[in-house]
Amino acid sequence: MTRVDARPGRRARHRRVVPLVAIGLVVGLTVAAVPFLATATPAAARIAAPATEPAGEPGPDPTTTDPTDPGPEPTEAPSTTPPEPTPPAATTEPAPTTTAPEQPAPTTAAPTAGPPPTTPSVPPVRPSAPATTPPAPPAGVSVTTDDITLTAAYWNAPSTVTTLRVTVTNTGVTPARIRLAYTLPAGLTDAGTGGCAPAGGGEHRCGEWASAPGVRFSTLLRVRVDGDAWKRMPLSGSVRVTATAPGVPGSVGDDEGFAVLFPPGPPVPGIRLAADAVSFDIGGGSSGLDVRLGNTGRVDAEGRIEVVLPAGVTVPAPPSGCTTVDPARTRCELGTLAAGRTARLRLPVSATPEAQRQAPLAGAVRAQLDPRSGPARQVQMSFRITAAAALATPVAPPPAPTGSQGVLAAEAQVGDGDGGGGGSVRRTAILLIVVSTLLVVFALTLATTSLRRRMTDPDTGVSPAPTE
């Protein structure tokens, strides 16, 4: 007679394994949920905290003087014109505030009217945070300039008086007082710009404008170019603006360069020279410099081209026939140039980030033809150097947010400025996640081992009856 061996010890062991596995899984899932609770609760608190801060924004005493401008300053600002040259009657009044009604575009309501966060969880809010535009700074200013471009009439005059158009924009959200200063290179002097006075070293300082938020206006600087200034080419200058706003500490500013562009000359028969502008993209890549030298005479001549670049701009790899005289000068021998023919040359150009930020700049090309008979012929001209990095330079650092900026901004404020509290919460959350992961792995390992034993060792078996 046979009996079924129930093996109660083995059944008891299986009963203990199942509760252990269940307990391990429950503990792992509970601990895994703790980091979410630890991070979601502070995030919800951070969402609500900044919303109460912008209610009280006391402003310090307004400052009406600019401490960064020592020495006597002009008492009045230069005359202004609209940015668009269409209205001719805007040059009668020197005050820039006359153009304020034309450009009323204050933007104070847009940045502060953001919708309050309503979702308590972090993941739904994160995708929408990059889509929001940052608020405009309380005080901001930007400046753009044209170039001083001379015509062929320059070669037939002892000096030439021209104008440099400067456009200023109040990019802040509060009224500001704006000052302007400009530096002229050697060979250029101020020709009597109203509201501006020399400060030494080619620098001139002007009076201040009272500008409303969003207002954009222009002014014309009168400049005299000497008749022999072409011998010093390339020539470049710069314009700087600073703005102060009531209740905003310190000042903000912006600057931009301008180029002095001479036409090919002095005029000499039998030679023609042309050079294209050089531009740098946002990545610092250059379009290169294209130069064309034409022999318009009746005899063949040996051609030579010399390129002079401003500081920070170089020819990194001169092509065949060209040599680097110094970091700012490259000379190219073109060989014999037949009468009526034109030689074309392309030079690679590179610039340092600082030089690109100072653009627009000017470079110069000097060309020479040595004919088989007769005197040598020389001519030179300047070309423009622009860079996208100059337009991408931020005008002023973004201010600290004063209102609710969403979950991402709230987390950044708590994590960086509350004495390390946000960092300790993150470290605790990471530690809990690691511990919970280890517990879940242990529970799964225990369950897998138990299942393998059950598969290899059957629960029931037949054993022979004991002999009596």
Side-chain angles (χ1 to χ4, degrees), residues 317-411:
S320 177
C322 300
T323 57
T324 301
V325 180
D326 54 56
R329 193 182 305 268
T330 302
R331 183 175 299 161
C332 300
E333 300 291 342
L334 303 181
T336 302
L337 188 59
R341 301 299 298 272
T342 299
R344 290 175 172 82
L345 180 65
R346 184 178 182 86
L347 296 173
V349 181
S350 64
T352 62
E354 180 63 25
Q356 295 184 44
R357 284 191 294 268
Q358 294 175 356
L361 299 171
V365 177
R366 297 170 181 169
Q368 179 175 332
L369 286 177
D370 293 326
R372 299 182 185 273
S373 60
R377 300 185 291 268
Q378 295 181 355
V379 68
Q380 61 188 42
M381 65 172 295
S382 53
F383 59 90
R384 194 169 189 253
I385 302 174
T386 59
L391 302 177
T393 304
V395 175
T402 57
S404 176
Q405 305 297 324
V407 175
L408 290 179
E411 289 182 352

Side-chain angles (χ1 to χ4, degrees), residues 186-368:
L188 278 71
T189 55
D190 186 80
T193 303
C196 300
E203 183 177 356
H204 296 73
R205 298 181 182 180
C206 307
E208 65 180 15
W209 293 280
S211 174
V215 169
R216 178 171 174 258
F217 57 92
S218 296
T219 185
L220 296 177
L221 307 178
R222 289 175 54 84
V223 178
R224 182 183 301 275
V225 184
D226 295 342
D228 60 350
W230 63 273
K231 299 178 181 179
R232 303 181 179 94
M233 70 171 70
L235 297 177
S236 302
S238 62
V239 177
R240 301 172 303 282
V241 290
T242 57
T244 57
V248 179
S251 61
V252 294
D254 188 24
D255 63 272
E256 184 167 294
F258 62 89
V260 183
L261 303 178
F262 294 88
V268 176
I271 186 172
R272 182 176 62 246
L273 178 65
D276 295 337
V278 176
S279 61
F280 290 89
D281 57 26
I282 194 63
S286 167
S287 61
L289 173 62
D290 291 320
V291 182
R292 296 174 296 279
L293 175 60
N295 182 1
T296 58
R298 298 183 178 181
V299 296
D300 299 347
E302 297 292 325
R304 174 187 296 176
I305 287 177
E306 190 172 87
V307 177
V308 183
L309 298 172
V313 185
T314 58
V315 177
S320 177
C322 300
T323 57
T324 301
V325 180
D326 54 56
R329 193 182 305 268
T330 302
R331 183 175 299 161
C332 300
E333 300 291 342
L334 303 181
T336 302
L337 188 59
R341 301 299 298 272
T342 299
R344 290 175 172 82
L345 180 65
R346 184 178 182 86
L347 296 173
V349 181
S350 64
T352 62
E354 180 63 25
Q356 295 184 44
R357 284 191 294 268
Q358 294 175 356
L361 299 171
V365 177
R366 297 170 181 169
Q368 179 175 332

Side-chain angles (χ1 to χ4, degrees), residues 31-322:
V31 177
V34 172
F36 173 77
L37 296 176
T39 55
T41 303
R46 285 193 290 267
I47 294 174
T52 60
E53 294 178 3
E57 190 174 355
D61 295 335
T63 57
T64 58
T65 60
D66 190 0
T68 61
D69 292 334
E73 298 290 346
T75 57
E76 61 179 7
S79 60
T80 60
T81 60
E84 298 78 14
T86 50
T91 58
T92 57
E93 290 295 334
T97 55
T98 56
T99 60
E102 299 176 4
Q103 300 281 344
T107 56
T108 54
T112 57
T118 57
T119 55
S121 58
V122 178
V125 182
R126 287 185 185 273
S128 61
T132 60
T133 57
V141 65
S142 66
V143 61
T144 57
T145 63
D146 293 343
D147 294 321
I148 296 179
T149 304
L150 300 170
T151 63
Y154 167 80
W155 303 113
N156 197 31
S159 64
T160 301
V161 175
T162 183
T163 58
L164 172 65
R165 177 177 288 271
V166 178
T167 302
V168 183
T169 306
N170 182 354
T171 59
V173 296
T174 59
R177 306 195 70 86
I178 300 174
R179 284 188 175 272
L180 181 143
Y182 57 96
T183 302
L184 299 176
L188 278 71
T189 55
D190 186 80
T193 303
C196 300
E203 183 177 356
H204 296 73
R205 298 181 182 180
C206 307
E208 65 180 15
W209 293 280
S211 174
V215 169
R216 178 171 174 258
F217 57 92
S218 296
T219 185
L220 296 177
L221 307 178
R222 289 175 54 84
V223 178
R224 182 183 301 275
V225 184
D226 295 342
D228 60 350
W230 63 273
K231 299 178 181 179
R232 303 181 179 94
M233 70 171 70
L235 297 177
S236 302
S238 62
V239 177
R240 301 172 303 282
V241 290
T242 57
T244 57
V248 179
S251 61
V252 294
D254 188 24
D255 63 272
E256 184 167 294
F258 62 89
V260 183
L261 303 178
F262 294 88
V268 176
I271 186 172
R272 182 176 62 246
L273 178 65
D276 295 337
V278 176
S279 61
F280 290 89
D281 57 26
I282 194 63
S286 167
S287 61
L289 173 62
D290 291 320
V291 182
R292 296 174 296 279
L293 175 60
N295 182 1
T296 58
R298 298 183 178 181
V299 296
D300 299 347
E302 297 292 325
R304 174 187 296 176
I305 287 177
E306 190 172 87
V307 177
V308 183
L309 298 172
V313 185
T314 58
V315 177
S320 177
C322 300

